[in-house]
Amino acid sequence: MYARINNRWTLLQKRIKASGYRNYADSTLKKKEWVSTNFSPGNVYHGFVCTDVELVKEYNMTAYFLTHEKTKTEYLHLERDDSNNVFSVGFRTTPLDSMGTPHILEHTVLCGSEKYPVRDPFFKMLNRSLATFMNALTGPDYTFYPFSSQNEVDYRNLQKVYLDAVFRPNLSRLDFLQEGWRLEHSKLEDKNSDLVFKGVVYNEMKGAFSETSSLFGQKFINTILPKGTYGYVSGGDPLCIPQLTHEHLKTFHSTYYHPSNARIYSYGNFPLEHNLQFLNETYLSKYKYLDPKHSVVSPQERWKVPSRASVSCRVDQYGGSVDKQNQIAIGYVMSDITQIYETFMMTALAELMILGPNSAFYKSLIEKNISGGYNSLTGYDNQIRDTLFVIGLRDVEKSNFDKIENIVKQTIDDIFTKGFEKDHIESVLHGFELSIKHQSPRFGLNLLFNLMPLWNHDGPILDALKINELLSELKKNLMNPRYVKDAIEKYFILNNHTLIMTMQPDPKFDDIFNEAEAKLLKSKVNALTAKEKESIYSDGIALSDAQKKVENLDVLPCLKMDEVALSKTAPALQHTIFGTIPLQLCEANTNGVTYFKGVLGTDSLNSTQRSLLPFFIYVVNKFDMKNYNYRDFDKFVSKSTSGLGFMAHIAEHVGQQEQYEQGVLISSHCLDENLRKMLDIWAEIFEKPNFENSERMTMLLNNYCSSLTSGIIDSGHTYAMQAARSLVSSVDECKESLMGMKHVIDMQGIQKKFNISDIQSTVNSISEQIIKGSNLRAAFHYSNATDVLKPVEDFCKNLCPGDAQEVNRITWTDSRPPNKTNRGLHISMNIPVNFCSKVIPTVAYTHADYPKLRVLSRFVTSKYLHPIVREKNGAYGGGAMISTDGAFNFYSYRDPNSRVTLDVFDETADWMAKNINLVDDQNLFEAKLSILQQMDQPVTEYMKGIDLFLYGLSYDMWKTQRERVLAVTKEDLVQVCGEYLASDRWAGKCVIGDGASQPLARASEQWETVSGPQQ
Ligand SMILES: [Zn+2]
């Protein structure tokens, strides 16, 4: 795991994505003595005066608000009996230019500080800690640094590193050049070679600007809120970044990363007093107050007349036909973020207006089938000072722009006249109630992410925690038609601060950028004095030397072996059979919510059916059912459950390579009292949906195909690894056709020449074949067996009558052995960066060498790949990991240089042979610790035992793996590296991106290029 790879600079980010963990953090209340710290208002603790203490009943916690007397630093502590403790320090960062200063600063403070003068201490702490989360995030107007851990020693260690990084960073000139931007000779040693722009953030933002939805989101905010900081690109516009100087960066740090502009947060059951004492003594007491008025964002003055704008973007090579690749967004500036009831109400209103087949915009816009569905801007964004409501569509023809505008106007008028249906309102309110009860995996972090934007603008954060009060007010108001009318009138009909923005693809988009970049480069180069030229040359050499230098990491704190304890215990699982359905039951502390998961086998599907399986998953609950039409069914579902989940499920056999289970994972949860209703809903699905509505099927197919290409660039390394794995394993060949680039390309083909009745009959045949009680195995998590078992038994017996007997519902698919040639796949894409991967098949999870390879993957990531691929070659990230099927994956992320990176992957074993001295006790322990960090992630109540259910991975197997990881020796690492990673081992490779300028294939490899339908 490399947390910062998920730290994509955010535009309209509504929810922070959890990284790809299979397990989730535990946030359950354990029955333990309440550890109240007894802080009371008016008292002073280590320089902090406590100003507020509030009990937040709905979350069983106490909130303490404190202010540092000298610097006025604000501090929020949420005391809750949860072992997954969180700490965060954040600043309001509101630049008035697009040089990307806050973003580059976020990177540069992580290049070493006074006490910890090492590059990338967060990355290095990943190997020295048991953190359950570590990250740094730059938003449009704030930057914050959160982490979480269950181990108090570890928590204190991380706190020290984090605080020193933000308050005492070195911000050296070379770090600025490395992370921000620089001119460098294309051949470092050759003074006569061309100069080029380099820099981690420079490259990152070139990547971000080639992602169409990021670009549209950025331009939209800049245009609808043009005054002040939102008029600029906080992450940095590649064409403006080269104006930033090292001096400006340092000044920005001293004014914005000042305690008087800081907000500090802690959550969990570790004592607050330690935090206050450490903060005060080590940092805050050394500062004077600095009025943070420079960072305040004023509310935008409202427009008198609406406005229009148009922008262009790159052609999506893997998208639908070019004349349909246009987007439109209509946005309204709503209330101020600090008006918490208004923003809460708008969240509900937006859901009523936009989400699901009963909402007004779905009926008037989506069901017209004139687009590929809502675009990524659509929704209510309350992350910035002036909140925004946006309704937008992707994949529309230009000729439909006017029509769409009129429909939007008409729809709002209709809502004003008719209001919302009562049961529709009830279902939305039910969703709010259920989400309060649901023990979300990272509770303390989620609270932080929700509060930070509000706190950033000095909003009433303690009131915002009292969600039940807000909800009861909302209930009362929404049921009053007059209230709804007034809200629609105020925020939409009489609102003139609206923007209609369209976006069209331009085949010259990249050329325009490249020309502008070349022009900028030329002007920079022409302006250089002889002395400056000389220093560019020497800086390049100095930076390269600094990157090669072996650092002394002993200054960083590190957990010790005896501070690492096995904390997980075997879950109490029960296995039984009701009817003939095998069940895994788990009684757990689920807070009044019952959870259902099931797997439907798909091994019987033929290849035509399999290629449409992901589409089937997308549509299965969107049609009429036996007893309900699709609109009523949706109401029924959302009134009593969390919604129905369907996803493709492929599980490799943990003991036998090249054997796998294929299926569809289905899931839902509900309040305990709604269990029978939830089971009735599933029974309805098992009666089979009716797919005869061809108009609806056509619309859903268009929306599905449109949704496929968004997100490819953000997760390019995942797609690249998936594609490379498919070249060496038939399990992954199957995965690739269900969720990889192959699926994207296949679906474009289907969309081009489909016959809707063929699609309907295939979808229907999948339904007939797999939605059967005799094809289901299920798991339930609940807190009260007496209320749950009877309904579950009735459900199973109705679905699958018969006598309980030993049934095995896992059908293993045997795969054919792949052809052992070294193959490569270049998925060409018109983006300026690449995602590279190489995959070597090794051994199964239960094989004795697997834990050795697992530790090796961490070792080569931190000692070899990260320093070379990221720090030296300028990629945003690079590393190695082993997947459960035994594939050893190398990857790089947003990489400017694919050819060199592939060589770096190939040379791993040679590098190891030359660097055996690096395999010392500390490095070995660190590599193990970072594996334990993954393995010891707390498991939330409703996920207990789920690895056994889904992957056949028992607690005992997990424990054996953990013991083996701890037992790995130095000799083991060297041995498995030589044996499995040698450059002549059979492997698959994949590059996504513009690798065209560099030949990728080596003599012994067969490469194939895919260029997408729009090339
Ligand atoms: Zn970044």
Side-chain angles (χ1 to χ4, degrees):
M1 178 202 77
Y2 179 28
R4 274 174 69 194
I5 215 160
N6 291 326
N7 142 35
R8 119 188 118 82
W9 147 81
T10 55
L11 298 158
L12 276 172
Q13 191 170 343
K14 280 162 205 166
R15 254 172 225 118
I16 311 277
K17 278 191 214 153
S19 67
Y21 279 128
R22 191 181 277 172
N23 300 325
Y24 296 101
D26 191 355
S27 43
T28 312
L29 294 176
K30 293 182 193 78
K31 304 272 179 292
K32 201 173 113 184
E33 216 170 288
W34 194 241
V35 280
S36 178
T37 37
N38 278 326
F39 281 68
S40 36
N43 291 352
V44 178
Y45 309 88
H46 302 288
F48 284 88
V49 58
C50 179
T51 51
D52 231 324
V53 179
E54 305 236 12
L55 195 65
V56 185
K57 277 200 210 112
E58 38 272 74
Y59 297 131
N60 281 309
M61 66 184 188
T62 310
Y64 299 88
F65 195 82
L66 305 104
T67 308
H68 190 252
E69 287 191 301
K70 198 172 163 203
T71 58
K72 308 244 186 320
T73 307
E74 296 186 355
Y75 193 112
L76 174 67
H77 177 66
L78 300 177
E79 180 184 74
R80 189 165 184 259
D81 196 5
D82 180 349
S83 62
N84 197 18
N85 284 261
V86 181
F87 185 81
S88 161
V89 50
F91 305 94
R92 188 162 56 211
T93 45
T94 48
L96 292 174
D97 57 65
S98 296
M99 300 189 294
T101 321
H103 184 189
I104 293 168
L105 186 57
E106 176 222 306
H107 280 246
T108 322
V109 301
L110 300 179
C111 288
S113 63
E114 198 176 291
K115 284 195 194 119
Y116 309 106
V118 295
R119 282 193 308 277
D120 228 340
F122 279 24
F123 179 79
K124 273 135 199 165
M125 284 307 286
L126 282 179
N127 303 333
R128 304 166 83 90
S129 149
L130 283 173
T132 48
F133 182 87
M134 283 178 73
N135 217 331
L137 302 116
T138 311
D141 51 16
Y142 56 79
T143 311
F144 70 117
Y145 297 80
F147 70 84
S148 62
S149 177
Q150 305 178 88
N151 180 310
E152 195 168 348
V153 177
D154 187 37
Y155 184 85
R156 303 281 163 223
N157 287 348
L158 290 165
Q159 194 172 51
K160 285 181 194 150
V161 175
Y162 266 61
L163 289 173
D164 209 55
V166 299
F167 288 125
R168 302 273 170 76
N170 291 338
L171 300 184
S172 80
R173 195 163 153 276
L174 287 184
D175 295 337
F176 164 71
L177 297 178
Q178 171 179 290
E179 298 296 322
W181 75 277
R182 65 183 182 274
L183 286 171
E184 194 173 280
H185 286 284
S186 51
K187 289 183 196 127
L188 207 55
E189 314 279 338
D190 179 2
K191 276 186 195 180
N192 296 318
S193 65
D194 291 340
L195 288 169
V196 287
F197 284 125
K198 284 199 171 170
V200 173
V201 171
Y202 186 79
N203 278 324
E204 184 189 342
M205 294 314 297
K206 267 167 81 169
F209 268 62
S210 50
E211 218 279 314
T212 302
S213 55
S214 302
L215 181 71
F216 198 25
Q218 180 67 61
K219 297 276 183 196
F220 197 87
I221 282 203
N222 294 161
T223 315
I224 197 168
L225 300 170
K227 298 248 171 73
T229 194
Y230 304 131
Y232 300 97
V233 185
S234 70
D237 180 334
L239 296 177
C240 301
I241 290 174
Q243 289 161 23
L244 180 65
T245 63
H246 182 216
E247 279 315 307
H248 184 78
L249 186 79
K250 288 198 284 189
T251 313
F252 193 90
H253 175 265
S254 64
T255 47
Y256 286 88
Y257 279 37
H258 188 283
S260 304
N261 192 42
R263 286 159 185 81
I264 300 174
Y265 170 91
S266 54
Y267 163 91
N269 61 4
F270 296 157
L272 164 65
E273 196 160 350
H274 288 52
N275 299 350
L276 299 181
Q277 185 175 5
F278 181 69
L279 267 166
N280 182 52
E281 286 174 5
T282 319
Y283 299 102
L284 305 192
S285 61
K286 317 250 152 81
Y287 285 83
K288 284 200 190 82
Y289 174 69
L290 175 78
D291 188 345
K293 58 179 185 296
H294 58 284
S295 71
V296 170
V297 181
S298 315
Q300 204 95 178
E301 196 185 312
R302 296 298 191 256
W303 294 349
K304 305 267 181 321
V305 282
S307 177
R308 280 173 193 280
S310 173
V311 291
S312 53
C313 63
R314 56 184 267 274
V315 173
D316 183 351
Q317 227 172 304
Y318 294 85
S321 73
V322 180
D323 49 330
K324 268 200 82 179
Q325 285 189 14
N326 308 287
Q327 300 205 41
I328 179 167
I330 302 177
Y332 300 80
V333 177
M334 313 298 273
S335 74
D336 193 273
I337 191 172
T338 57
Q339 294 178 296
I340 53 170
Y341 175 72
E342 292 296 293
T343 61
F344 189 67
M345 185 269 294
M346 269 315 304
T347 311
L349 219 53
E351 200 169 324
L352 283 163
M353 293 166 80
I354 295 169
L355 276 189
N358 290 296
S359 68
F361 281 116
Y362 187 94
K363 289 181 193 167
S364 68
L365 279 174
I366 303 299
E367 291 190 345
K368 284 277 183 324
N369 196 15
I370 47 174
S371 71
Y374 293 130
N375 62 18
S376 62
L377 270 69
T378 303
Y380 177 56
D381 175 21
N382 59 358
Q383 302 281 301
I384 52 176
R385 172 110 231 179
D386 306 278
T387 65
L388 302 175
F389 177 96
V390 181
I391 189 92
L393 297 173
R394 66 182 167 217
D395 284 359
V396 296
E397 283 170 30
K398 276 190 209 165
S399 56
N400 278 328
F401 283 163
D402 288 347
K403 186 173 171 186
I404 291 166
E405 249 186 88
N406 290 333
I407 295 176
V408 169
K409 253 195 205 110
Q410 185 59 47
T411 309
I412 286 169
D413 288 346
D414 289 350
I415 298 172
F416 176 76
T417 324
K418 293 181 206 145
F420 302 107
E421 284 177 55
K422 190 164 164 272
D423 52 354
H424 188 198
I425 296 174
E426 279 166 0
S427 68
V428 169
L429 291 170
H430 167 265
F432 279 90
E433 266 165 42
L434 182 56
S435 69
I436 296 170
K437 286 266 184 185
H438 173 66
Q439 297 282 340
S440 76
R442 294 170 162 183
F443 189 78
L445 282 165
N446 288 348
L447 280 181
L448 168 69
F449 294 147
N450 287 330
L451 290 175
M452 200 62 208
L454 176 63
W455 195 4
N456 197 45
H457 299 290
D458 304 316
I461 46 175
L462 295 186
D463 294 340
L465 287 170
K466 292 180 193 151
I467 198 90
N468 282 346
E469 280 175 27
L470 291 167
L471 192 56
S472 66
E473 169 99 15
L474 181 69
K475 271 183 193 167
K476 193 181 74 203
N477 285 336
L478 282 188
M479 287 303 173
N480 172 5
R482 187 68 245 173
Y483 181 90
V484 173
K485 235 183 189 15
D486 289 346
I488 296 290
E489 185 171 44
K490 174 178 167 197
Y491 285 113
F492 294 95
I493 295 174
L494 300 179
N495 187 350
N496 280 322
H497 199 142
T498 68
L499 172 68
I500 298 160
M501 188 179 247
T502 57
M503 181 159 80
Q504 292 93 22
D506 179 353
K508 293 213 175 68
F509 183 76
D510 293 312
D511 299 342
I512 292 170
F513 175 81
N514 291 339
E515 266 167 45
E517 192 191 36
K519 208 173 135 195
L520 180 66
L521 181 66
K522 207 171 158 194
S523 75
K524 285 269 173 200
V525 172
N526 287 345
L528 292 173
T529 63
K531 206 174 144 216
E532 284 168 334
K533 276 187 190 153
E534 189 55 39
S535 79
I536 285 173
Y537 174 76
S538 55
D539 283 345
I541 305 276
L543 188 56
S544 164
D545 288 346
Q547 286 162 343
K548 281 184 211 140
K549 209 174 92 199
V550 179
E551 298 180 295
N552 174 18
L553 300 182
D554 295 344
V555 292
L556 286 173
C558 184
L559 273 184
K560 295 185 191 65
M561 201 62 217
D562 56 6
E563 289 159 348
V564 179
L566 173 66
S567 58
K568 256 188 228 177
T569 49
L573 302 178
Q574 236 183 304
H575 289 92
T576 185
I577 298 167
F578 285 156
T580 65
I581 296 180
L583 288 165
Q584 178 175 304
L585 303 173
C586 181
E587 195 166 330
N589 195 354
T590 58
N591 198 30
V593 181
T594 302
Y595 294 83
F596 160 72
K597 294 176 191 69
V599 172
L600 296 163
T602 54
D603 54 292
S604 65
L605 298 181
N606 63 34
S607 65
T608 314
Q609 290 170 320
R610 186 159 301 118
S611 67
L612 274 180
L613 182 64
F615 176 61
F616 167 81
I617 287 170
Y618 177 75
V619 301
V620 56
N621 58 342
K622 297 187 173 71
F623 281 85
D624 293 350
M625 299 292 153
K626 189 175 169 211
N627 298 304
Y628 299 87
N629 66 39
Y630 67 88
R631 289 197 216 279
D632 289 343
F633 186 65
D634 188 75
K635 279 184 209 161
F636 184 26
V637 170
S638 46
K639 247 163 128 171
S640 15
T641 73
S642 59
L644 310 181
F646 295 83
M647 63 188 275
H649 166 74
I650 302 218
E652 305 86 2
H653 197 295
V654 287
Q656 305 287 329
Q657 262 187 312
E658 296 293 319
Q659 271 205 340
Y660 58 100
E661 182 199 22
Q662 11 173 347
V664 174
L665 171 64
I666 60 178
S667 63
S668 64
H669 61 267
C670 66
L671 297 172
D672 288 348
E673 61 263 32
N674 287 333
L675 177 60
R676 279 201 186 266
K677 283 186 196 153
M678 178 168 88
L679 295 172
D680 286 348
I681 286 167
W682 283 109
E684 196 69 30
I685 293 273
F686 276 86
E687 291 277 355
K688 312 272 189 312
N690 175 348
F691 297 108
E692 275 168 26
N693 185 340
S694 58
E695 211 179 304
R696 189 160 174 76
M697 187 66 88
T698 309
M699 174 201 97
L700 290 169
L701 181 69
N702 288 333
N703 287 1
Y704 179 72
C705 291
S706 282
S707 71
L708 285 177
T709 59
S710 70
I712 292 179
I713 298 179
D714 272 344
S715 319
H717 63 310
T718 315
Y719 281 94
M721 284 189 279
Q722 177 56 58
R725 280 198 297 269
S726 75
L727 302 176
V728 293
S729 138
S730 61
V731 184
D732 282 290
E733 211 176 341
C734 177
K735 277 194 191 170
E736 175 69 7
S737 65
L738 291 176
M739 41 196 127
M741 284 302 291
K742 180 165 187 327
H743 178 64
V744 176
I745 295 164
D746 286 353
M747 285 310 294
Q748 299 299 353
I750 289 174
Q751 197 193 10
K752 250 186 200 153
K753 42 176 193 247
F754 70 95
N755 172 328
I756 201 65
S757 64
D758 290 348
I759 301 240
Q760 281 170 300
S761 84
T762 307
V763 165
N764 199 51
S765 70
I766 299 174
S767 162
E768 292 292 333
Q769 228 162 300
I770 70 169
I771 308 187
K772 288 189 289 209
S774 60
N775 190 34
L776 173 73
R777 55 193 184 85
F780 284 88
H781 288 81
Y782 47 82
S783 41
N784 189 346
T786 42
D787 298 340
V788 169
L789 294 185
K790 186 72 178 91
V792 169
E793 184 169 4
D794 293 348
F795 169 72
C796 292
K797 285 189 168 157
N798 282 333
L799 217 55
C800 201
D803 289 329
Q805 51 187 340
E806 270 311 303
V807 272
N808 179 12
R809 283 282 159 74
I810 304 186
T811 315
W812 296 104
T813 306
D814 279 318
S815 55
R816 49 189 175 71
N819 172 5
K820 288 199 177 183
T821 43
N822 289 318
R823 290 156 65 199
L825 187 63
H826 174 210
I827 300 173
S828 134
M829 197 178 253
N830 48 340
I831 48 172
V833 287
N834 299 280
F835 302 92
C836 306
S837 69
K838 174 182 177 179
V839 170
I840 304 174
T842 65
V843 293
Y845 182 86
T846 50
H847 190 287
D849 282 347
Y850 186 92
K852 299 174 190 169
L853 286 159
R854 199 167 176 181
V855 176
L856 177 68
S857 72
R858 294 305 313 172
F859 181 82
V860 296
T861 296
S862 68
K863 299 295 164 220
Y864 176 54
L865 298 167
H866 185 83
I868 307 268
V869 176
R870 177 180 161 109
E871 292 173 356
K872 186 155 174 282
N873 294 347
Y876 191 65
M881 52 174 273
I882 183 164
S883 30
T884 35
D885 59 352
F888 196 95
N889 301 261
F890 294 91
Y891 65 88
S892 73
Y893 189 80
R894 289 192 179 150
D895 187 345
N897 203 341
S898 47
R899 171 74 216 190
V900 173
T901 299
L902 291 179
D903 288 345
V904 172
F905 295 163
D906 284 344
E907 287 155 12
T908 307
D910 297 342
W911 170 84
M912 183 69 146
K914 285 184 210 134
N915 290 279
I916 290 180
N917 62 321
L918 282 180
V919 196
D920 60 18
D921 288 338
Q922 177 65 21
N923 288 342
L924 179 66
F925 173 66
E926 288 184 13
K928 290 178 184 178
L929 199 58
S930 71
I931 297 296
L932 291 193
Q933 198 182 87
Q934 297 167 359
M935 296 192 79
D936 289 357
Q937 283 278 330
V939 182
T940 193
E941 296 288 303
Y942 65 87
M943 293 297 280
K944 286 191 164 161
I946 231 53
D947 280 349
L948 178 66
F949 177 70
L950 291 180
Y951 309 101
L953 182 59
S954 69
Y955 176 79
D956 288 342
M957 285 176 187
W958 173 86
K959 197 158 163 261
T960 306
Q961 172 92 195
R962 193 177 184 279
E963 284 158 5
R964 284 176 168 176
V965 163
L966 287 172
V968 170
T969 64
K970 294 182 243 178
E971 293 72 29
D972 288 339
L973 282 200
V974 176
Q975 177 249 323
V976 292
C977 190
E979 183 175 346
Y980 294 97
L981 305 188
S983 59
D984 57 352
R985 282 280 296 208
W986 174 46
K989 290 179 181 169
C990 173
V991 171
I992 296 182
D994 172 31
S997 52
Q998 309 170 18
L1000 297 169
R1002 289 162 160 270
S1004 61
E1005 296 171 353
Q1006 289 173 18
W1007 280 73
E1008 190 190 331
T1009 301
V1010 176
S1011 31
Q1014 304 311 330
Q1015 186 63 356

